[in-house]
Amino acid sequence: MFLYFDTDKSGWCVDSSDVMFDVVVVGAGPIGLVLSNYLGKFGVKTLLVEKNSSTVSEPRAVSIDDESLRAIQGINLAETVIGSLMPDYGSCYQSPTGSVFAKVSPNTREYGYPRRNGVHQDVLEKQLKDGLEQYSNVETWFNHQLTSFSEVEDGVELSLQSADGQVKSVKCRYLCASDGASSFIRKTLNVVMEGDTYGENWLIIDIENTKDTFRDTRVFCDPSRPGISLPGPKGTRRFEFMLLKGETNEEVLAEENVRKLLRDHGPDEHAVIRRKTVYTFHARVARDWKHGRIALLGDAAHLTPPFAGQGMNSGVRDSHNYAWKLAQVALGRLGPKILDTYPVERKPHAQSLVDMAVKMGHVMMPLSKPTAFFTRLFFRALAIYPPAQSYITQMKYKPKPRFNEGFFVPDGHKLRNTIVGRMFIQPMVESSQAPTQKQLLDNFLSDGFTLLSYSTTPETLLKRVNGKFVDTLKVDSVCITPKSVLLSAEDNPRSQLRDINGDIEKTLKAYGECVLLLRPDRYVAAVFTPESVERVNREVDTLVEATW
Ligand SMILES: Cc1cc2nc3c(=O)[nH]c(=O)nc-3n(C[C@H](O)[C@H](O)[C@H](O)COP(=O)(O)OP(=O)(O)OC[C@H]3O[C@@H](n4cnc5c(N)ncnc54)[C@H](O)[C@@H]3O)c2cc1C
């Protein structure tokens, strides 16, 4: 039912048409946009609501990681997004004299993409918004603000006010709050944000046409003025400087001060400034991420200091995790209890990234000269021991995409070594249908659940994976052979893949030949080995039944 203000009649009118959606997403920031793209792809009837007239125009996030790019690959936008990135850069941690005491330069492509990439959030949001145009099942209402909502027995009723004063009532089965740091939905639900207020103020300066040709992030670990300089796409550069005790926003934003900071930190004193502003960063996580039919995602659920460049990336993981669960419920394949696994899986991981950012802040913002000296000494000592050096350079300190609890069947391996509950790697593979073209694994996977059979004769074990779940979840299957197997398009009824670099063989060393049940978000839900296949068939069936 719509209530709207009719200017001709000068009064409020009621449009009695019922507007019912499976899902309403509030907030068209990067998190709501990724979520809506996924819901569009999965065929879920969705409404995306945004109070502003367009996506953001000012730069915010400047770093996107490999996991987010894999999520974006899943909505067919990887090529578009990668085309406007500054891919694959590292970090150099510098002492006040400019000497480099620690380097981060990850060269892994574990999930298919470089681990750190420069991005413009405003460009990314526009690309994600354009991506929605391909889905007739997603409506996008900009200039509409959520003003009230209430949960009823079979859904959530919402009141939306448009910029011209019309009030519209809509109803949905599930409401997603991706409405940002000051989330109206979170506040209305009285959900507490836990953790330190932190509250560091940082001056952000975005410039164009940088003269600094250095490709990595420079981290100025200087107690007298901690700061960062990050390269961005198309000759842009971001500077971030911590405000010192007693400094006011007006003082640091003054033109003279900004130019001096640029002069002291590279060759960009006279650069064109696109934006300068002061931000306060927080390290806080919402206590409850789900309230009945309502879930919090992105900044509405967690706020992280910028040192790890993970605020948006963590939020993209939320969308990637929750979208397929909503879709499975909307399609009637899984019961609504699957939605309860969203906070169980995502909250501890998001918390671990906030904790990592806080720790990185201690390195970047040493409180005194002696602390700065000992921090540098510590990192220089680590560099002598190769495993410790690789821990830093390869970013092994970054929490892995894995869950301790959630929608998967534990396989008895120790938490550190198990493959289940983890995002599966994304290596390059070769297909029997096009042996000369090497492609990323996900390009051969469907949008839903997939059985990935790895063996010299992958069809054999695959036939024994025959639990009820195969039909219930409409599971697709893909066969992949070790590197040493000669693929033949004629002999195989379907496309077979080959593990051309031996990455899968290495990852599955502890299992040998096996079939993996991959979730739509590419996490491993179960492993079937020749010895365990009957038992795991039963256990996956039980897992699926338990969602009802
Ligand atoms: C200076 C800066 C640098 C950063 N750098 C990085 C980085 O390098 N890497 C990284 O990963 N992250 C970074 N971040 C964090 C990143 O920008 C945020 O985590 C990200 O924008 C969160 O996305 P979101 O969609 O959750 O929220 P938002 O982007 O805030 O979007 C929320 C949307 O909801 C809308 N909305 C709010 N209330 C309503 C309502 N009642 N009705 C309708 N619409 C509503 C808002 O208008 C807004 O468009 C940075 C942030 C800042 C400020």
Side-chain angles (χ1 to χ4, degrees), residues 52-68:
N52 293 331
S53 58
S54 67
T55 51
V56 290
S57 53
E58 82 270 21
R60 292 180 71 189
V62 286
S63 182
I64 188 163
D65 71 8
D66 48 350
E67 294 168 58
S68 290

mmCIF file of all heavy atoms in Angstrom, residues 52-68:
data_model
loop_
_atom_site.group_PDB
_atom_site.id
_atom_site.type_symbol
_atom_site.label_atom_id
_atom_site.label_comp_id
_atom_site.label_asym_id
_atom_site.label_seq_id
_atom_site.Cartn_x
_atom_site.Cartn_y
_atom_site.Cartn_z
ATOM 1 N N ASN A 52 20.144 9.033 -0.772
ATOM 2 C CA ASN A 52 20.775 10.024 -1.654
ATOM 3 C C ASN A 52 20.315 9.842 -3.095
ATOM 4 O O ASN A 52 19.760 8.810 -3.454
ATOM 5 C CB ASN A 52 22.302 9.919 -1.575
ATOM 6 C CG ASN A 52 22.808 10.344 -0.205
ATOM 7 O OD1 ASN A 52 22.188 11.174 0.459
ATOM 8 N ND2 ASN A 52 23.900 9.752 0.228
ATOM 9 N N SER A 53 20.640 10.864 -3.910
ATOM 10 C CA SER A 53 20.182 10.791 -5.302
ATOM 11 C C SER A 53 21.095 9.929 -6.159
ATOM 12 O O SER A 53 20.746 9.539 -7.263
ATOM 13 C CB SER A 53 20.084 12.196 -5.885
ATOM 14 O OG SER A 53 21.351 12.801 -5.792
ATOM 15 N N SER A 54 22.301 9.626 -5.663
ATOM 16 C CA SER A 54 23.223 8.796 -6.446
ATOM 17 C C SER A 54 24.196 8.118 -5.485
ATOM 18 O O SER A 54 24.155 8.356 -4.279
ATOM 19 C CB SER A 54 24.003 9.666 -7.428
ATOM 20 O OG SER A 54 24.855 10.522 -6.687
ATOM 21 N N THR A 55 25.081 7.328 -6.037
ATOM 22 C CA THR A 55 26.132 6.731 -5.214
ATOM 23 C C THR A 55 27.139 7.828 -4.845
ATOM 24 O O THR A 55 27.060 8.932 -5.383
ATOM 25 C CB THR A 55 26.839 5.594 -5.988
ATOM 26 O OG1 THR A 55 27.221 6.091 -7.266
ATOM 27 C CG2 THR A 55 25.939 4.396 -6.164
ATOM 28 N N VAL A 56 28.110 7.519 -3.959
ATOM 29 C CA VAL A 56 29.001 8.581 -3.461
ATOM 30 C C VAL A 56 29.830 9.199 -4.579
ATOM 31 O O VAL A 56 30.170 8.535 -5.556
ATOM 32 C CB VAL A 56 30.010 8.097 -2.373
ATOM 33 C CG1 VAL A 56 29.338 7.782 -1.083
ATOM 34 C CG2 VAL A 56 30.895 6.978 -2.866
ATOM 35 N N SER A 57 30.154 10.464 -4.410
ATOM 36 C CA SER A 57 31.002 11.121 -5.405
ATOM 37 C C SER A 57 32.394 11.344 -4.839
ATOM 38 O O SER A 57 33.357 11.502 -5.580
ATOM 39 C CB SER A 57 30.379 12.433 -5.838
ATOM 40 O OG SER A 57 30.099 13.194 -4.696
ATOM 41 N N GLU A 58 32.513 11.354 -3.498
ATOM 42 C CA GLU A 58 33.846 11.601 -2.936
ATOM 43 C C GLU A 58 34.602 10.284 -2.742
ATOM 44 O O GLU A 58 33.993 9.233 -2.527
ATOM 45 C CB GLU A 58 33.765 12.378 -1.618
ATOM 46 C CG GLU A 58 33.471 11.569 -0.397
ATOM 47 C CD GLU A 58 31.991 11.437 -0.081
ATOM 48 O OE1 GLU A 58 31.167 11.631 -0.989
ATOM 49 O OE2 GLU A 58 31.683 11.118 1.073
ATOM 50 N N PRO A 59 35.943 10.347 -2.854
ATOM 51 C CA PRO A 59 36.715 9.119 -2.661
ATOM 52 C C PRO A 59 36.665 8.688 -1.201
ATOM 53 O O PRO A 59 36.713 9.528 -0.312
ATOM 54 C CB PRO A 59 38.145 9.521 -3.043
ATOM 55 C CG PRO A 59 38.119 10.959 -3.382
ATOM 56 C CD PRO A 59 36.794 11.526 -3.059
ATOM 57 N N ARG A 60 36.521 7.424 -0.954
ATOM 58 C CA ARG A 60 36.593 6.915 0.424
ATOM 59 C C ARG A 60 37.597 5.773 0.429
ATOM 60 O O ARG A 60 38.788 6.019 0.491
ATOM 61 C CB ARG A 60 35.209 6.489 0.914
ATOM 62 C CG ARG A 60 34.267 7.684 1.084
ATOM 63 C CD ARG A 60 32.903 7.277 1.553
ATOM 64 N NE ARG A 60 32.895 6.840 2.940
ATOM 65 C CZ ARG A 60 31.859 6.268 3.536
ATOM 66 N NH1 ARG A 60 30.745 6.082 2.879
ATOM 67 N NH2 ARG A 60 31.936 5.894 4.796
ATOM 68 N N ALA A 61 37.131 4.501 0.278
ATOM 69 C CA ALA A 61 38.086 3.387 0.299
ATOM 70 C C ALA A 61 39.053 3.513 -0.881
ATOM 71 O O ALA A 61 38.665 3.897 -1.983
ATOM 72 C CB ALA A 61 37.346 2.069 0.229
ATOM 73 N N VAL A 62 40.314 3.156 -0.607
ATOM 74 C CA VAL A 62 41.328 3.227 -1.659
ATOM 75 C C VAL A 62 42.026 1.878 -1.872
ATOM 76 O O VAL A 62 42.953 1.800 -2.661
ATOM 77 C CB VAL A 62 42.384 4.312 -1.351
ATOM 78 C CG1 VAL A 62 41.828 5.703 -1.581
ATOM 79 C CG2 VAL A 62 42.920 4.179 0.070
ATOM 80 N N SER A 63 41.598 0.868 -1.145
ATOM 81 C CA SER A 63 42.277 -0.418 -1.267
ATOM 82 C C SER A 63 41.252 -1.546 -1.296
ATOM 83 O O SER A 63 40.360 -1.605 -0.453
ATOM 84 C CB SER A 63 43.216 -0.572 -0.060
ATOM 85 O OG SER A 63 43.913 -1.768 -0.168
ATOM 86 N N ILE A 64 41.385 -2.409 -2.297
ATOM 87 C CA ILE A 64 40.456 -3.545 -2.405
ATOM 88 C C ILE A 64 41.296 -4.820 -2.461
ATOM 89 O O ILE A 64 42.349 -4.843 -3.100
ATOM 90 C CB ILE A 64 39.524 -3.382 -3.630
ATOM 91 C CG1 ILE A 64 38.429 -4.460 -3.647
ATOM 92 C CG2 ILE A 64 40.277 -3.394 -4.957
ATOM 93 C CD1 ILE A 64 37.255 -4.132 -4.553
ATOM 94 N N ASP A 65 40.826 -5.872 -1.773
ATOM 95 C CA ASP A 65 41.671 -7.063 -1.688
ATOM 96 C C ASP A 65 41.203 -8.186 -2.625
ATOM 97 O O ASP A 65 40.220 -8.052 -3.350
ATOM 98 C CB ASP A 65 41.828 -7.518 -0.225
ATOM 99 C CG ASP A 65 40.557 -8.108 0.362
ATOM 100 O OD1 ASP A 65 39.589 -8.321 -0.386
ATOM 101 O OD2 ASP A 65 40.536 -8.370 1.578
ATOM 102 N N ASP A 66 41.954 -9.279 -2.583
ATOM 103 C CA ASP A 66 41.702 -10.412 -3.482
ATOM 104 C C ASP A 66 40.361 -11.089 -3.206
ATOM 105 O O ASP A 66 39.671 -11.530 -4.129
ATOM 106 C CB ASP A 66 42.846 -11.433 -3.386
ATOM 107 C CG ASP A 66 43.225 -11.786 -1.953
ATOM 108 O OD1 ASP A 66 42.746 -11.121 -1.006
ATOM 109 O OD2 ASP A 66 44.012 -12.729 -1.759
ATOM 110 N N GLU A 67 39.961 -11.144 -1.929
ATOM 111 C CA GLU A 67 38.687 -11.793 -1.610
ATOM 112 C C GLU A 67 37.518 -10.978 -2.170
ATOM 113 O O GLU A 67 36.552 -11.533 -2.688
ATOM 114 C CB GLU A 67 38.538 -11.958 -0.102
ATOM 115 C CG GLU A 67 39.539 -12.914 0.510
ATOM 116 C CD GLU A 67 39.530 -12.816 2.027
ATOM 117 O OE1 GLU A 67 38.475 -13.020 2.624
ATOM 118 O OE2 GLU A 67 40.598 -12.515 2.612
ATOM 119 N N SER A 68 37.625 -9.648 -2.061
ATOM 120 C CA SER A 68 36.548 -8.805 -2.616
ATOM 121 C C SER A 68 36.492 -8.950 -4.125
ATOM 122 O O SER A 68 35.401 -9.007 -4.716
ATOM 123 C CB SER A 68 36.790 -7.331 -2.280
ATOM 124 O OG SER A 68 36.596 -7.102 -0.921
#
